[in-house]
Amino acid sequence: MHRQDGQGEPVTTDRIPVLGPLLTPAEAARLFRVDPETVTRWALAGRIGSLMPPGGHRQFREAEVQAPSQGHRT
């Protein structure tokens, strides 16, 4: 599945090779200091990339989440 992010770049949410540690929505939310539902909505909107493994529990690459959170303001 491909979607567009806010800058018009494609965001792939399936069959992404896993590189590095993965975070749950709760762990990603802690880094952004928001509710886990918020990071899930961001992923659905294409604002941040996510993985949907066969178990169906959304996960986020740690490196991808930490980079944007450095300058993120809520």
Side-chain angles (χ1 to χ4, degrees), residues 43-59:
L44 291 170
R47 291 181 63 191
I48 58 175
S50 68
L51 302 163
M52 272 297 240
H57 298 282
R58 188 175 304 279
Q59 296 179 322

Side-chain angles (χ1 to χ4, degrees), residues 9 20 27 31 34 37 39 47 50 58 62-63 69 71:
E9 296 293 318
E27 292 167 332
L31 292 172
V34 297
E37 291 287 326
V39 293
R47 291 181 63 191
S50 68
R58 188 175 304 279
E62 183 178 46
S69 70

Side-chain angles (χ1 to χ4, degrees), residues 6-74:
Q7 289 78 38
E9 296 293 318
V11 177
T12 304
T13 56
D14 61 348
R15 297 185 185 175
I16 302 172
V18 177
L19 302 172
L22 296 175
L23 302 175
T24 65
E27 292 167 332
R30 246 180 266 127
L31 292 172
F32 286 111
R33 295 188 175 129
V34 297
D35 190 87
E37 291 287 326
T38 301
V39 293
T40 299
R41 281 194 304 272
W42 290 347
L44 291 170
R47 291 181 63 191
I48 58 175
S50 68
L51 302 163
M52 272 297 240
H57 298 282
R58 188 175 304 279
Q59 296 179 322
F60 302 88
R61 281 196 200 111
E62 183 178 46
E64 196 173 314
V65 171
Q66 286 184 344
S69 70
Q70 301 302 319
H72 182 76
R73 299 262 185 222
T74 55

